[in-house]
Amino acid sequence: MHYQRNAQKLVPAKERATLAARLRDIFNAPDLAMAQQRLSQMIELYRATHTKLADWVEQTGEETLAVFHLPASHRVRLRSTNSLGAFNGQIDRRTRVVRIFPNEASCLRLVSALAMEQTEAWLTGPRYLDMTTLAERSTAKEAIVA
């Protein structure tokens, strides 16, 4: 989302929806090779009309495709910052109740307690990510290397 917003700053407002659709198409690609191909096509498409955008995407685009090195089931959740935003919202909501902390340590205690609650929820609650897929990939790579 942040990458898309930054890219949209480099084109006129009337072209932002088209650019957003192209970026979504790249990130919805089935694999890394297809995403790289779509990214290259987009760079070439914008090279003539929006040089600044094409140069920026050429410099930064490959970094954003790192999510394709993860299992497909993890990509949709890890390519966004939704979980981080929700956690920050929780911290904001809980610290707003206190309003004024007596000292920095008391604020740190509250935020640390919230982080520990979140960790426990991730460990015991419904799985946000199925880590068995990563474990299976890891053992498969180890078997190939050996």
Side-chain angles (χ1 to χ4, degrees):
M1 184 64 176
H2 297 285
Y3 188 76
Q4 186 174 356
R5 284 182 189 159
N6 290 338
Q8 288 179 340
K9 291 176 187 175
L10 301 173
V11 296
K14 63 182 179 182
E15 296 181 37
R16 290 181 181 163
T18 306
L19 175 62
R22 285 199 171 100
L23 286 171
R24 269 192 309 276
D25 185 50
I26 291 168
F27 291 109
N28 290 330
D31 58 19
L32 178 61
M34 182 64 76
Q36 288 171 328
Q37 179 185 2
R38 291 176 183 176
L39 184 70
S40 297
Q41 289 171 349
M42 190 184 94
I43 291 169
E44 291 309 312
L45 180 70
Y46 284 107
R47 176 80 52 213
T49 56
H50 301 294
T51 311
K52 202 177 213 182
L53 172 67
D55 291 342
W56 181 76
V57 170
E58 194 169 41
Q59 290 173 0
T60 60
E62 195 64 35
E63 295 170 3
T64 63
L65 300 181
V67 74
F68 282 94
H69 295 288
L70 298 168
S73 59
H74 291 199
R75 284 185 206 143
V76 173
R77 291 182 182 231
L78 293 180
R79 71 181 185 200
S80 76
T81 56
N82 289 346
S83 58
L84 183 60
F87 179 61
N88 284 337
Q90 178 76 353
I91 290 173
D92 185 45
R93 186 177 65 80
R94 298 281 288 276
T95 55
R96 197 176 321 122
V97 172
V98 178
R99 289 193 180 154
I100 299 173
F101 288 92
N103 55 38
E104 192 175 311
S106 62
C107 179
L108 182 60
R109 269 194 305 277
L110 175 62
V111 173
S112 297
L114 291 173
M116 289 188 313
E117 280 179 21
Q118 184 65 52
T119 300
E120 188 167 321
W122 284 343
L123 291 173
T124 60
R127 294 284 175 198
Y128 187 73
L129 296 172
D130 181 12
M131 299 310 279
T132 55
T133 6
L134 282 177
E136 290 168 3
R137 282 182 79 188
S138 178
T139 30
K141 283 183 182 179
E142 289 172 7
I144 292 170
V145 172

